[in-house]
Amino acid sequence: MTLAKLHRDRPRSWFLIVSAGFFLLLVLTSWLTGDFKLSDFTSERSVRNLNRFLNHDIIPRPIRDGEAGWEALPSWVGGVLARDGWKAMGNTLWISIVAILFAAIGAACLVPGAARNTASSHPFMGRTHPSKRWQSVVFLCRGLLVFCRGIPEFIWAFLLIGILGINAWPAVLALALHNMGILGRLGAETVENLPLDIPRALRISGASRRQVFLFGIFPLVLPRMLVYFFYRWETCVREATVIGLLGISSLGYYITEAHARFKYDELLLYILLGSALILAGDFVSAIVRKCLRETDVEPG
Amino acid sequence: MTGPPTLTARRSLLLGLLLVGISAYFILGLKLTELNPGPGGLKLGKRFFSAAFSPALTNEDSAALSGANPLWKNAIVACWETIRISAAAVSLSLVFGLAFGFFGATAWWRNRSSGMRNPLYRFFLRYCAPLLYGITRILITFTRSVHELLWATLFLAALGMGPLAAVFALTIPFSGTFAKIFSEMIDEADPSAARALELAGAGPLQVVCFALLPAALPDMIAYTLYRFECGLRSSAVMGFMGVLTLGYYIDASFENRHYHEVWTYLYAMIFLIVFFEKWSDAIRRRLTEGVS
């Protein structure tokens, strides 16, 4: 009896049920109507290609040509590293670092305008009627952030290369713009969820907007924002690698070049170098984030 | 009189970041003058960005392509293909992610073997499970560390590119990410229910299915939705590798200098991403706050 009643009264949400149904339907129709032919993989030609690729193409050239045995592998890797490898890895890393810093600075400038509790004529004084002027400020800042993060890094880079030509700037700007959108959104959410007492106390004792933001809010949100910052930096390293596919001299550039010259052995090596770089980046970021979480207790 | 310390850990971290950034700037050899695209680039940039205010509603050169699809139809087809590849890839990687996430978690086997009566079970938990765990971890780390576009490049080199290859290229790193996150969620789930089931004599699979998974489920659903958004972005970018998603149309229109069309597709993509972002936000809110 009570069990039946419990079952009847269990929490339900039509919204969730409909959404679940919709996503299920979406997955089903995509698999059924998509032009996914398994013959792409099982046809005679592709099996032959795959065979050649695995047993011939990706074996380092000196070994494939029978000039040397597998003991020549380290010297071959060393040769590629000395020629372009180190430079490519370095470029990838530096691009990601400059980009994420630009992104953080840009986001820090937009957050006060995008968070509803700072962008108001009475900041932190609870929900008063926001004036039309402040509403439009919030709308503009959020619109800009949505616009920046709605376009993927790769497409930003593609568009910017068309305009700025090929140098490191399009890569840096593309990564910076997209991540500014993401960091700005996360920052605005963090600021909106802050406990209000500290900024309110500062405001009441006569601090200006800028003072409240610099000395009340910034220290409070910093620990969490640093965690987000390092998390986004990891993705920056990833994306900086592939933006090179468009012609900027990060790892991706050497990957396309190897591809164009049918040097699949070098292609594979560059991909592995990229994955080593990403692993190193993830490792550093994980350590820093762990330290941050342990030293900085939640604000409040 | 001693004031507050001038170089706290936090300050030195911020300062260090700034220094690394400045040195990276100079090592890269970035120059502000290179930001000036020159008269040709400036004109092009102006044309491109002013087109943002008037996205095309019809094909820009209708004369040359009289047989081509109207623009709105192209945009819808591109969006649908983007959604489709993302949905297929995410659903497939969800399956792999759940399996690998199970083997990549420690909660169901670590310190559990002592209570087992069945020697076969005990052997499995003590020796096989840690081995499986190690292999899975290595697999997860490797698949994650290669970007989906590079997997696509590998597929392109080895097999040629088609929609299915794009789905697989997305599936490989996504499965790794799912497995990593899911295993963490299973390990961090509240262990009390698991403990209770175990004392009542449940096996490891039962513990995972009836205690650990239900506890982690809301977070897992929320994360899956987030991955679907990432999948939309990635599948759009796959267009640059020749799959007919939004990226393909952006690439083609930009190369043809039809900037108004480019903006139509860009707005379509922003709409797509914001739409699913808002929707999954709503779902997440209901999941985490509990349904009322």
Side-chain angles (χ1 to χ4, degrees):
Chain A
M1 160 76 188
T2 46
L3 211 57
K5 189 173 165 3
L6 272 177
H7 182 73
R8 211 170 42 242
D9 293 348
R10 72 190 187 279
R12 266 168 300 188
S13 152
W14 282 113
F15 181 76
L16 286 184
I17 294 169
V18 170
S19 301
F22 175 84
F23 274 104
L24 221 62
L25 206 69
L26 188 65
V27 168
L28 276 178
T29 40
S30 355
W31 278 110
L32 291 178
T33 65
D35 195 17
F36 306 136
K37 290 189 294 287
L38 208 57
S39 60
D40 287 358
F41 290 89
T42 52
S43 75
E44 201 188 323
R45 196 170 136 264
S46 44
V47 170
R48 208 170 50 231
N49 280 348
L50 185 65
N51 241 325
R52 206 194 53 219
F53 182 74
L54 290 179
N55 297 323
H56 179 263
D57 291 350
I58 60 169
I59 298 180
R61 200 189 50 78
I63 300 163
R64 190 201 311 149
D65 293 351
E67 291 168 15
W70 280 99
E71 71 278 356
L73 184 67
S75 67
W76 177 76
V77 172
V80 176
L81 273 176
R83 204 179 62 224
D84 293 318
W86 288 122
K87 191 174 146 245
M89 283 171 91
N91 277 351
T92 310
L93 184 67
W94 305 128
I95 286 174
S96 73
I97 292 175
V98 177
I100 193 67
L101 278 168
F102 276 142
I105 293 168
C109 296
L110 280 171
V111 162
R116 287 209 180 78
N117 51 4
T118 46
S120 124
S121 36
H122 303 285
F124 304 109
M125 292 309 161
R127 283 195 178 272
T128 49
H129 295 291
S131 63
K132 277 267 159 4
R133 224 178 81 215
W134 281 110
Q135 267 178 335
S136 51
V137 168
V138 171
F139 181 78
L140 274 179
C141 287
R142 297 204 160 204
L144 189 60
L145 290 176
V146 166
F147 179 72
C148 285
R149 73 167 181 272
I151 299 176
E153 304 92 327
F154 195 81
I155 293 179
W156 268 123
F158 170 77
L159 301 172
L160 288 170
I161 285 174
I163 293 163
L164 291 174
I166 289 186
N167 55 54
W169 275 111
V172 170
L173 288 180
L175 290 172
L177 282 172
H178 182 77
N179 285 294
M180 179 182 85
I182 292 176
L183 286 177
R185 177 198 184 202
L186 293 171
E189 268 173 19
T190 317
V191 169
E192 283 183 356
N193 292 332
L194 272 183
L196 287 174
D197 33 6
I198 295 175
R200 207 176 264 180
L202 282 175
R203 187 71 180 156
I204 290 172
S205 47
S208 69
R209 258 171 212 286
R210 203 177 43 190
Q211 284 170 327
V212 175
F213 199 80
L214 280 180
F215 304 110
I217 299 176
F218 184 69
L220 280 179
V221 297
L222 189 62
R224 168 154 305 178
M225 287 317 292
L226 278 174
V227 171
Y228 289 142
F229 174 87
F230 278 100
Y231 158 65
R232 285 316 299 177
W233 176 65
E234 282 174 33
T235 40
C236 262
V237 179
R238 263 161 230 271
E239 297 293 333
T241 313
V242 294
I243 279 178
L245 295 179
L246 295 165
I248 292 165
S249 71
S250 76
L251 276 161
Y253 171 74
Y254 296 95
I255 291 172
T256 34
E257 212 186 45
H259 190 197
R261 294 183 181 175
F262 301 106
K263 290 182 177 169
Y264 292 130
D265 48 349
E266 289 186 17
L267 174 103
L268 189 69
L269 180 63
Y270 281 119
I271 288 181
L272 291 177
L273 288 182
S275 110
L277 186 67
I278 287 170
L279 287 182
D282 285 6
F283 186 66
V284 171
S285 155
I287 289 178
V288 177
R289 281 192 288 163
K290 191 154 170 264
C291 293
L292 281 171
R293 238 179 267 129
E294 277 164 7
T295 53
D296 283 302
V297 208
E298 280 290 296
Chain B
M1 215 176 82
T2 52
T6 44
L7 203 69
T8 56
R10 193 186 285 175
R11 268 183 213 176
S12 40
L13 179 66
L14 284 183
L15 215 63
L17 280 178
L18 213 62
L19 279 179
V20 171
I22 291 170
S23 39
Y25 183 89
F26 285 109
I27 293 171
L28 265 183
L30 289 173
K31 287 185 221 64
L32 280 177
T33 48
E34 280 178 340
L35 267 181
N36 182 2
L42 208 63
K43 224 169 94 192
L44 195 131
K46 229 182 192 162
R47 255 188 68 202
F48 175 70
F49 280 109
S50 59
F53 298 102
S54 54
L57 299 173
T58 52
N59 282 329
E60 273 183 53
D61 54 357
S62 46
L65 294 161
S66 51
N69 278 332
L71 184 70
W72 62 268
K73 205 171 162 192
N74 270 344
I76 290 175
V77 167
C79 284
W80 173 229
E81 187 67 11
T82 307
I83 295 174
R84 195 153 62 177
I85 287 189
S86 172
V90 171
S91 57
L92 191 61
S93 44
L94 191 60
V95 176
F96 288 119
L98 281 171
F100 287 120
F102 173 73
F103 289 117
T106 56
W108 57 274
W109 55 267
R110 192 161 279 176
N111 304 327
R112 288 255 150 87
S113 56
S114 51
M116 290 293 147
R117 286 244 182 78
N118 189 336
L120 215 61
Y121 250 3
R122 213 159 49 218
F123 178 79
F124 178 76
L125 286 187
R126 198 167 288 168
Y127 300 105
C128 299
L131 187 71
L132 275 173
Y133 168 79
I135 295 172
T136 314
R137 279 278 142 186
I138 293 172
L139 214 62
I140 289 174
T141 315
F142 177 70
T143 51
R144 255 167 53 76
S145 68
V146 177
H147 193 278
E148 56 261 18
L149 277 180
L150 299 185
W151 282 115
T153 312
L154 275 178
F155 275 119
L156 193 64
L159 288 163
M161 200 66 186
L164 192 61
V167 169
F168 285 164
L170 284 175
T171 300
I172 295 171
F174 276 35
S175 305
T177 311
F178 267 132
K180 174 173 181 267
I181 300 288
F182 284 171
S183 58
E184 280 166 12
M185 284 175 177
I186 292 175
D187 282 343
E188 281 162 18
D190 182 10
S192 46
R195 204 72 212 146
L197 276 193
E198 210 179 301
L199 287 174
L205 195 65
Q206 286 168 318
V207 168
V208 170
C209 288
F210 299 111
L212 295 172
L213 270 185
L217 200 60
D219 285 341
M220 286 164 76
I221 293 175
Y223 188 76
T224 308
L225 290 170
Y226 168 69
R227 266 288 121 188
F228 180 67
E229 289 164 32
C230 298
L232 285 177
R233 269 186 266 265
S234 303
S235 97
V237 171
M238 278 291 167
F240 285 83
M241 308 294 281
V243 196
L244 297 175
T245 58
L246 275 162
Y248 175 84
Y249 292 89
I250 292 173
D251 190 0
S253 295
F254 194 86
E255 293 300 335
N256 289 329
R257 297 175 172 245
H258 296 158
Y259 298 132
H260 300 275
E261 283 180 21
V262 173
W263 281 101
T264 312
Y265 292 123
L266 286 178
Y267 285 133
M269 181 158 63
I270 293 174
F271 170 77
L272 204 64
I273 283 171
V274 171
F275 175 75
F276 278 104
E277 200 177 277
K278 292 275 174 237
W279 191 3
S280 53
D281 267 352
I283 296 178
R284 245 190 297 265
R285 228 182 6 256
R286 280 171 180 75
L287 280 175
T288 48
E289 287 171 3
V291 194
S292 53

